[in-house]
Amino acid sequence: MRQQTFQKALSRLTDTGFRLFFVTGLVFAVLTGLYNIWLCMAELVVLLVLYLYFQSGAIRRKQEAMDYLDHLASGVDNASRRTMLSSPMPIAIFRPDTDDIIWSNERFLHLTGDPDHLFETKLSALVPAFQCQWLLDGEHLSPEPVPVGEKLYLVYGNLVCTGEQDSFLATTYWVDVTQYATVAAKFDATRSVVGILQVDNYEDLSRGLEEGERAVMRSELNNRLSAWLDPSQGLLCRYDRDHYLLLVEAAQFQVFCRKKFSLLDEIRQVQSPNGVAATLSIGFGRNGETPRQLHEYASLALDMALSRGGDQVVVKDGNDFSFFGGRSKETERRTKVKSRVVASALSELLASTHQVIVMGHKYPDLDVLGAVAGVCAIARKKDVPIKAVRAPSPYPSEEQTKQLASLPEYQGIFIPPDEAIRLAKPTSIVVVVDTNRPEQTQVPELLTSGARIVVIDHHRRAASYIEKPALSFHDPYASSASELVAELVQYILDNGDLKRQEAEAMLAGIVLDTKNFTMRTGSRTFETAAFLRKAGADTALVHKFFQHDLRDTVTKMQIIQGAQTYRGSMAIALTDRPVGRAIAGQAADEMLNIAGIEASFVLFPEAGQAYLSARSGSNVNVQVISEMLGGGGNATTAGAQFPGKTTEDVLPLLKETIDNYFDDEA
């Protein structure tokens, strides 16, 4: 059938089109016969002779074309066969569905080292590291070099349908890249990694010490740093009293990573005579294009480590961040100097704008509301128009927001997101409170509107954060965003400028995040609470902010009733019906009151996806666990969300993450 089709096509190609002339001559011969029959007969004889001549010529040309094409095809087939047999690279043909080898050339036989049994085995048996999924996915190059013995091969390939249903043959070409891979590996191993080390609490270590005692302490720090670095042949240079510059090769840096930077634990063994243990923060930059860029990466990584509470290592590799340590309990290291400087800078910014827009994180809670109220009070003092983004109902602080919006000073302040986007201009100021992650803000589009950004937050900085704000008041040692804003209020407002309802909103935010002054509470927290109380905040009214109706209380108790312990001290509760983030968080808080429970986790569904609410005391850092799951928060309060997953899907993942957390800690 295929041969007949080919001959028809060839006939069309060799057809000269002379039949039309013969038909025309025949017509004229017939017309001539009407007048002279003998002349007509002569014309017909001539036409017949010419037709036979041209027909025989067409047959001869067609046969010559066929002979030439047969010779050409035979030559191509011979060349193809010889090319495959004598190819300088190994070639193997196999069935991807069964992994059976169909054919290979001599070079592939020598590559595998088992030519006698090549056609009695499978490709994966000869080359265990080879996987053919990339061929089935339509790719033509293996994603990674395939190790065969002591060599590495980059595999090219393609699939050909055999004509049978769902039956394919894979042809693979194996290119030896051992030398290239060796050079590339050596290049990667010898690339420079720049680190910046900072002693977090140098002031506390040296406070009250004589110069000789300080020298002894510095010497002990230097000795431990040198002992840690000497095996790597790295370079360590002290350029400030508490700052060091570090330069190592990438291969030794990987050793540090595998050991999870044991230096952090060793440095804590250095203590001052007054009993203060030293802590260290390190920022590393790698895979930068220039030494200057490596140093910039290291500086950004160090800033990240400090903003997350210190006593940890942060690695910036291009656009990615990696975190090590950071599980120790945070200690308060705050001064009023920073609050005063930020208050002055914020006042200058407000004097240069015509519009302020304030927003918090999605599903704003009482801490967001308190921070928003404080920013509104500051803007009112500076006589600058301000708008606050209103969240879609329902959300945890909805009732309290309505109470605040009913005040005359707050008429028209709360606006929907689309109106906030319309108002934002390059001359505007957007104040973000209680979050530093752009994807967590109520209206992320405001961050790209060209307006100047101010960030006020107390959470540890995550891998994604709002970059290059005009002003950042970020303090992970503060209890809440309301506490930070209240400190700014003290330096900007005069007595009597702060309304009672605003003071109560900020105090409620502090009470929420400190769990009624029991968690993450420092001396500055109580000082701020005293200021708010003096400003008119009624603690009885604040307590009413946290009251819930009977249905919510029953729901919370049902969640707790279904909780189970894991690893002895972890409480995990799972519910299959929407309960709201506020109720889930309160249930997690309540489970911490159970004897022996150090951390609690509540899994609940909402808007077609699973959510996690995590709480802990002082011994477990739930932020680290949540970050492993793609979430965030701080050491005692954190959470995560899982698009497209159910709570049952997330439960084994949560348990595995908790196991990894404790395994890394061991």
Side-chain angles (χ1 to χ4, degrees):
M1 182 66 182
R2 187 175 299 176
Q3 181 73 14
Q4 293 176 356
T5 303
F6 175 72
Q7 290 199 4
K8 289 181 179 179
L10 186 61
S11 298
R12 288 194 299 269
L13 291 173
T14 57
D15 187 6
T16 59
F18 277 100
R19 288 187 179 88
L20 180 62
F21 295 99
F22 290 114
V23 171
T24 304
L26 181 62
V27 171
F28 278 104
V30 171
L31 293 175
T32 303
L34 297 176
Y35 301 99
N36 190 333
I37 189 63
W38 297 108
L39 181 60
C40 174
M41 294 297 293
E43 290 178 354
L44 290 175
V45 171
V46 172
L47 285 174
L48 179 61
V49 172
L50 291 175
Y51 178 78
L52 293 175
Y53 173 76
F54 283 109
Q55 188 66 22
S56 63
I59 294 173
R60 186 177 65 256
R61 288 191 297 273
K62 184 186 300 183
Q63 185 61 43
E64 290 175 354
M66 289 291 296
D67 293 341
Y68 175 75
L69 291 175
D70 287 341
H71 175 72
L72 182 62
S74 176
V76 171
D77 289 342
N78 290 332
S80 299
R81 286 192 292 268
R82 291 184 180 182
T83 299
M84 295 184 70
L85 289 171
S86 60
S87 172
M89 67 181 69
I91 300 176
I93 301 176
F94 68 99
R95 295 186 183 275
D97 52 347
T98 62
D99 211 27
D100 294 328
I101 296 177
I102 302 301
W103 179 89
S104 72
N105 62 358
E106 289 290 336
R107 291 186 177 273
F108 188 82
L109 298 179
H110 293 295
L111 180 151
T112 58
D114 190 16
D116 296 334
H117 303 88
L118 180 64
F119 300 104
E120 301 175 5
T121 186
K122 297 181 181 297
L123 180 59
S124 58
L126 295 176
V127 188
F130 179 77
Q131 302 291 333
C132 65
Q133 184 60 44
W134 55 276
L135 281 167
L136 300 175
D137 293 338
E139 301 294 333
H140 299 286
L141 176 63
S142 59
E144 297 291 340
V146 179
V148 182
E150 296 181 354
K151 293 188 175 183
L152 291 174
Y153 290 86
L154 202 59
V155 184
Y156 294 83
N158 62 283
L159 289 179
V160 177
C161 182
T162 62
E164 301 176 8
Q165 186 177 6
D166 298 330
S167 180
F168 294 91
L169 286 181
T171 304
T172 54
Y173 307 85
W174 301 62
V175 181
D176 188 350
V177 294
T178 305
Q179 185 176 2
Y180 165 79
T182 302
V183 174
K186 185 176 181 180
F187 171 76
D188 291 337
T190 55
R191 295 192 70 179
S192 297
V193 178
V194 174
I196 302 177
L197 292 74
Q198 175 179 329
V199 181
D200 296 327
N201 52 350
Y202 185 85
E203 291 289 344
D204 296 335
L205 290 169
S206 58
R207 183 177 293 116
L209 301 183
E210 299 292 337
E211 184 58 36
E213 293 175 323
R214 293 182 183 179
V216 171
M217 184 189 65
R218 286 197 298 267
S219 177
E220 188 174 358
L221 286 172
N222 292 335
N223 290 338
R224 290 184 180 272
L225 289 172
S226 299
W228 172 71
L229 189 62
D230 280 347
S232 68
Q233 301 297 311
L235 174 66
L236 182 68
C237 177
R238 179 168 172 260
Y239 65 92
D240 200 353
R241 61 178 185 174
D242 57 351
H243 282 75
Y244 298 79
L245 186 65
L246 171 65
L247 182 65
V248 295
E249 291 185 342
Q252 186 58 41
F253 176 77
Q254 293 297 334
V255 176
F256 294 157
C257 292
R258 286 194 295 269
K259 294 183 178 180
K260 301 188 183 300
F261 294 93
S262 58
L263 177 65
L264 296 176
D265 297 326
E266 296 174 9
I267 287 296
R268 293 192 202 100
Q269 298 175 12
V270 179
Q271 294 188 357
S272 66
N274 52 18
V276 178
T279 61
L280 193 69
S281 292
I282 313 177
F284 280 103
R286 61 176 309 191
N287 289 330
E289 296 182 359
T290 62
R292 176 175 296 179
Q293 190 175 57
L294 286 173
H295 185 268
E296 292 175 356
Y297 283 178
S299 299
L300 290 172
L302 179 62
D303 291 342
M304 176 73 77
L306 295 174
S307 68
R308 290 167 56 88
D311 191 22
Q312 60 188 280
V313 176
V314 177
V315 181
K316 180 171 173 57
D317 187 347
N319 294 324
D320 299 326
F321 285 94
S322 301
F323 306 96
F324 300 86
R327 303 188 180 190
S328 60
K329 184 179 179 181
E330 296 176 354
T331 57
E332 184 179 18
R333 294 193 290 267
R334 302 176 59 203
T335 65
K336 294 183 178 181
V337 176
K338 184 176 182 179
S339 300
R340 186 167 59 250
V341 171
V342 172
S344 176
L346 180 60
S347 297
E348 293 179 3
L349 277 176
L350 293 179
S352 63
T353 186
H354 74 287
Q355 180 71 66
V356 177
I357 302 172
V358 58
M359 67 174 173
H361 55 70
K362 298 177 181 177
Y363 301 96
D365 54 16
L366 288 175
D367 191 26
V368 171
L369 179 62
V372 168
V375 173
C376 289
I378 293 173
R380 186 172 65 248
K381 175 66 176 179
K382 295 299 180 180
D383 198 23
V384 179
I386 185 170
K387 300 293 183 181
V389 178
R390 183 178 69 240
S393 179
Y395 56 94
S397 61
E398 184 174 6
E399 291 300 322
Q400 293 79 10
T401 301
K402 292 179 179 178
Q403 296 177 19
L404 194 63
S406 63
L407 299 176
E409 292 82 0
Y410 282 81
Q411 296 300 312
I413 283 185
F414 291 96
I415 59 176
D418 54 350
E419 185 175 349
I421 296 174
R422 183 180 59 81
L423 291 175
K425 294 179 174 59
T427 55
S428 305
I429 291 178
V430 174
V431 182
V432 180
V433 296
D434 204 29
T435 185
N436 59 70
R437 303 177 65 175
E439 69 275 10
Q440 292 290 343
T441 58
Q442 289 176 269
V443 190
E445 292 82 1
L446 288 177
L447 303 178
T448 58
S449 63
R452 290 170 289 178
I453 309 299
V454 176
V455 179
I456 304 175
D457 186 36
H458 70 110
H459 294 97
R460 285 187 172 190
R461 184 175 292 180
S464 62
Y465 57 93
I466 299 173
E467 297 183 353
K468 298 180 180 179
L471 178 63
S472 177
F473 190 18
H474 183 253
D475 195 336
Y477 307 109
S479 69
S480 57
S482 295
E483 178 183 339
L484 293 175
V485 174
E487 290 186 350
L488 300 180
V489 167
Q490 295 181 60
Y491 291 107
I492 298 177
L493 270 63
D494 297 326
N495 291 334
D497 290 336
L498 187 66
K499 297 187 66 62
R500 175 182 62 82
Q501 293 86 346
E502 294 170 333
E504 290 173 351
M506 284 186 280
L507 183 58
I510 296 175
V511 171
L512 174 70
D513 277 17
T514 60
K515 300 178 179 60
N516 204 15
F517 296 96
T518 60
M519 306 293 297
R520 296 177 54 84
T521 307
S523 59
R524 298 284 297 280
T525 307
F526 288 102
E527 292 177 9
T528 304
F531 162 76
L532 296 174
R533 181 69 181 89
K534 184 178 179 181
D538 189 333
T539 54
L541 294 177
V542 170
H543 176 70
K544 289 185 178 180
F545 286 176
F546 299 91
Q547 291 181 340
H548 301 280
D549 57 27
L550 180 60
R551 185 183 61 180
D552 290 343
T553 303
V554 171
T555 300
K556 181 171 63 175
M557 292 300 106
Q558 289 174 342
I559 295 175
I560 298 173
Q561 186 178 10
Q564 297 180 349
T565 58
Y566 183 69
R567 295 183 70 103
S569 59
M570 305 290 107
I572 301 178
L574 182 148
T575 179
D576 57 358
R577 61 190 183 93
V579 296
R581 301 188 186 190
I583 300 301
Q586 292 167 20
D589 287 332
E590 192 68 29
M591 285 191 290
L592 289 179
N593 296 327
I594 301 173
I597 298 300
E598 296 183 351
S600 59
F601 304 88
V602 176
L603 289 169
F604 61 99
E606 185 173 289
Q609 59 185 340
Y611 281 82
L612 170 69
S613 184
R615 302 290 187 269
S616 74
S618 58
N619 296 326
V620 178
N621 192 328
V622 291
Q623 183 204 14
V624 175
I625 297 175
S626 296
E627 285 183 338
M628 293 179 182
L629 295 168
N634 55 51
T636 59
T637 304
Q641 57 187 14
F642 307 89
K645 292 184 179 295
T646 64
T647 53
E648 290 79 6
D649 297 333
V650 177
L651 181 59
L653 181 61
L654 173 60
K655 291 182 178 180
E656 180 183 356
T657 305
I658 294 173
D659 292 337
N660 293 336
Y661 172 84
F662 285 103
D663 291 343
D664 292 343
E665 209 174 45

